[in-house]
Amino acid sequence: MFPQARRGRARAAVVAVVAVAALATGCASGKSAADTGTLVVYTGQAGDYQVNFNPFSPSPIEGPGTIFEPMFYFNQVRTDPPKPLLGTAYSWNADGTQLSITLRDNATWTDGQKFTADDVVFTLDMVAANKSINATGYDGQAKAVDPAHVVITFPEPAYMQGPQVLGRLYIVPRHLWKDVKDPATDVVAKPVGTGAYELAEFKPQAFTLKANPHYWGGEPAVKQLRYLALSGNQSGADALAAGQIDWQTGPVPDIKNVAKNYPGYQAITVPMNQMALFTCANAQLGCTGPQTDPAVRQAIYYAINRKQLNSLAFEDTASPISPGFALAGRDDKLISGKLRNKLAPDAPDTAKAEQLLQQAGYRKGADGGYAKDGTPLTLTVQVVSGWTDYITAVNTMAQQLQKIGIKLTAQQESWNQWSDSRGRGQFQLLIDSLYQGPAADPYYLWNYFFDSANTAPVGQTANPDFARFSDPDVDKALAELRKTQTSDTAARQPYYDTIQSHIEDQLPYIPILTGGTTSEYNAKKFTGWPSKDNLYAFPAVWGRPDAAQVFTALKPTGQ
């Protein structure tokens, strides 16, 4: 349903350039990607793709936005009015308990059947009935008034659910999905949607989407999207240099000089995704290891040298992060004055870190390492092979934490293995990013990652409260925010304060930095890319549904 955390920061991966070229030019009649209007993208997939176009899955390879559409597009990087997609208008009643939606009457599914209100009601009812796919907390009752109008009734004021329901629930065809036995696990190998693109071909090394000729918004100018799976980091840069990929979001060497180093390409950086060490934090839900102790998490937080980390791992493209996970910069007015630190410290406080450990019963041995009850304080951080910025970050933090007696070890694994472990809680620590919601409000991130309704015992899949965080005060504050008008900042701030202070106390996600999400794109072959002056969408190739807005805005130059 959401761009899950692997899409919080995609990374370029590596294969030989010859192999990349073979995949990139695998188009009809032997023509080049430029000749056929094909946009070659790399989303950060490390290793072969496993077919999964289910928009409700925690790990779809594609589909949300491109194949399956929401009713509106909400721009998370600026306060634009929502853009009509399958919906054309909506309104709330006076007390925020009823949402009325007018639907588009000229949309069809790619199998030729007409899109109607019955599809919307079916989708919403399916989400409400399946907790494992209901990451928005949707609890409404939908009714089709006629083929073009839906009314959703909520049990209490639900203003904050508006952007979620309208912008992050992807509508699926009732006539096909009514026979899907488990909407959370079905991989939807042959997706049928209303979007601007449809599946043309799937292979583990690459898959292709083709333009939908019957799209209600008009057939897009970019006729094909070719998604590559690579296997390491240097070849992302090599592929750019060879002109074999047209859009990737992730690090390349000397990232501040993309236009100079990669002729024809430009880059854009937007600080959006909050990088963190995810911890399996909740022993009551089955988490095991030293990281279940808040004192250990706090000690790690204070021991990190973020200034050094930004330089060594992120080429100084990252920016400060707040320990309460309101987005620094965008949400400055909402960052709580009750936090001990409004921003995570740049410099380490090793004395504070060691004091926290000692107060929690840890003792330093002759080897300089801390232990408790004879068990050394050692932790494993799971990281995807080929994500070299994150691998560098983990190795750098390992050196930093060694100074206070904590041993940190990186465990590299395939994305598929890492993603499965993340969902099932089978990790001590892993490195990833927390992503933003459909509108410019920290409520959505908190609702995703800190609401106990979105987690599960270890062994079961959480979506997306991967840390297994559960705090009744936070749950209550989130519930109150859902009922409070977004314009009433004064009424909302006490709940913001509660959530941030409790997060800072517990740190189930240990804040690192706010990632500068950098995309490198082929400005020579395609025009219409987002720019700092025109951020019409969050410019990340893995952003969903954002990337679909970019794809439909682009036009090939023929070069």
Side-chain angles (χ1 to χ4, degrees):
M1 186 177 307
F2 296 108
Q4 291 303 327
R6 81 177 172 98
R7 293 167 171 73
R9 179 183 173 89
R11 294 114 186 130
V14 189
V15 291
V17 174
V18 173
V20 177
L23 288 169
T25 57
C27 305
S29 303
K31 294 183 179 180
S32 72
D35 291 335
T36 59
T38 297
L39 178 71
V40 183
V41 301
Y42 175 54
T43 64
Q45 175 73 19
D48 286 352
Y49 285 109
Q50 293 183 4
V51 65
N52 186 355
F53 294 99
N54 184 343
F56 302 110
S57 168
S59 53
I61 59 172
E62 193 41 61
T66 47
I67 297 173
F68 299 100
E69 294 182 293
M71 288 180 275
F72 293 82
Y73 172 68
F74 289 76
N75 190 341
Q76 60 183 308
V77 293
R78 43 182 219 195
T79 56
D80 294 349
K83 177 182 177 180
L85 295 174
L86 289 178
T88 58
Y90 68 90
S91 62
W92 287 98
N93 67 349
D95 66 358
T97 59
Q98 197 170 80
L99 180 61
S100 299
I101 308 165
T102 301
L103 301 174
R104 186 172 299 282
D105 63 2
N106 63 335
T108 58
W109 300 101
T110 50
D111 64 359
Q113 293 211 25
K114 185 174 176 58
F115 160 78
T116 73
D118 288 341
D119 298 306
V120 174
V121 172
F122 169 81
T123 301
L124 297 179
D125 287 349
M126 180 180 67
V127 169
N130 291 272
K131 181 180 182 296
S132 58
I133 64 173
N134 191 7
T136 67
Y138 170 71
D139 60 356
Q141 290 187 337
K143 180 181 179 180
V145 178
D146 58 44
H149 293 87
V150 170
V151 173
I152 305 172
T153 303
F154 297 91
E156 56 186 4
Y159 296 106
M160 297 307 293
Q161 286 206 42
Q164 300 271 35
V165 172
L166 298 169
R168 289 292 175 90
L169 290 183
Y170 300 96
I171 309 304
V172 297
R174 179 186 181 279
H175 63 281
L176 297 177
W177 279 66
K178 63 183 176 61
D179 297 322
V180 173
K181 292 183 179 179
D182 188 347
T185 60
D186 195 298
V187 299
V188 192
K190 297 180 180 180
V192 172
T194 59
Y197 290 91
E198 55 187 307
L199 180 64
E201 177 188 50
F202 174 82
K203 292 182 179 179
Q205 298 80 23
F207 65 90
T208 302
L209 303 186
K210 63 181 180 180
N212 176 2
H214 306 295
Y215 182 51
W216 59 261
E219 184 176 353
V222 176
K223 300 306 179 187
Q224 290 193 112
L225 308 175
R226 183 77 165 162
Y227 292 76
L228 303 185
L230 307 178
S231 61
N233 204 338
Q234 179 57 46
S235 220
D238 291 346
L240 284 177
Q244 301 297 343
I245 58 177
D246 300 308
W247 187 14
Q248 74 161 21
T249 304
V252 294
D254 194 18
I255 203 166
K256 294 181 180 180
N257 291 298
V258 166
K260 175 183 176 183
N261 298 333
Y262 306 94
Y265 289 81
Q266 297 288 335
I268 185 171
T269 300
V270 180
M272 286 293 290
N273 294 299
Q274 292 155 303
M275 298 181 289
L277 289 174
F278 287 29
T279 79
C280 192
N282 194 333
Q284 293 182 340
L285 288 180
C287 298
T288 59
Q291 82 288 345
T292 59
D293 185 343
V296 172
R297 303 196 294 264
Q298 290 279 351
I300 293 172
Y301 168 76
Y302 282 108
I304 295 173
N305 185 335
R306 291 174 177 80
K307 182 176 178 62
Q308 181 188 57
L309 196 62
N310 197 4
S311 175
L312 295 180
F314 305 115
E315 298 187 62
D316 290 318
T317 61
S319 55
I321 188 170
S322 174
F325 287 97
L327 183 62
R330 188 194 70 183
D331 301 333
D332 283 349
K333 293 182 179 179
L334 305 178
I335 294 178
S336 177
K338 296 185 178 182
L339 292 173
R340 291 185 294 274
N341 304 107
K342 284 196 169 186
L343 297 175
D346 274 344
D349 188 342
T350 55
K352 175 73 171 178
E354 293 202 53
Q355 179 188 37
L356 288 164
L357 292 176
Q358 291 164 9
Q359 290 174 344
Y362 290 88
R363 298 292 177 260
K364 184 173 283 189
D367 62 353
Y370 275 99
K372 186 176 184 179
D373 300 328
T375 302
L377 183 43
T378 62
L379 290 160
T380 298
V381 184
Q382 292 168 227
V383 59
V384 175
S385 300
W387 288 5
T388 57
D389 55 343
Y390 275 9
I391 293 169
T392 301
V394 172
N395 290 336
T396 301
M397 285 187 284
Q399 295 174 7
Q400 294 171 354
L401 294 178
Q402 186 176 9
K403 296 177 182 178
I404 66 160
I406 297 177
K407 183 179 180 182
L408 208 65
T409 302
Q411 177 179 314
Q412 296 186 42
E413 52 197 21
S414 71
W415 182 84
N416 294 319
Q417 180 182 359
W418 172 90
S419 179
D420 184 66
S421 297
R422 180 190 61 178
R424 295 178 181 275
Q426 295 167 337
F427 64 94
Q428 291 182 320
L429 304 174
L430 59 79
I431 186 169
D432 199 9
S433 295
L434 287 76
Y435 50 80
Q436 301 300 319
D441 192 307
Y443 160 83
Y444 295 103
L445 179 146
W446 296 330
N447 184 54
Y448 300 155
F449 291 97
F450 297 95
D451 190 330
S452 60
N454 294 332
T455 197
V458 170
Q460 299 178 26
T461 300
N463 186 20
D465 180 358
F466 303 118
R468 272 69 189 166
F469 178 75
S470 180
D471 184 311
D473 291 332
V474 171
D475 289 345
K476 182 178 178 181
L478 287 169
E480 292 300 320
L481 284 173
R482 292 183 194 111
K483 298 185 291 186
T484 308
Q485 281 273 24
T486 56
S487 58
D488 195 347
T489 304
R492 297 174 69 82
Q493 191 62 50
Y495 304 120
Y496 288 151
D497 291 343
T498 295
I499 293 168
Q500 292 176 74
S501 59
H502 281 243
I503 290 173
E504 185 187 37
D505 286 341
Q506 297 295 314
L507 293 183
Y509 305 88
I510 303 170
I512 300 174
L513 290 160
T514 299
T517 303
T518 302
S519 278
E520 301 85 34
Y521 56 88
N522 195 327
K524 182 179 179 181
K525 290 185 180 179
F526 300 92
T527 61
W529 297 98
S531 66
K532 290 184 177 180
D533 295 329
N534 184 21
L535 276 176
Y536 61 84
F538 175 46
V541 70
W542 36 256
R544 295 170 181 157
D546 310 272
Q549 294 298 307
V550 179
F551 293 141
T552 55
L554 295 178
K555 290 181 171 53
T557 64
Q559 297 188 56

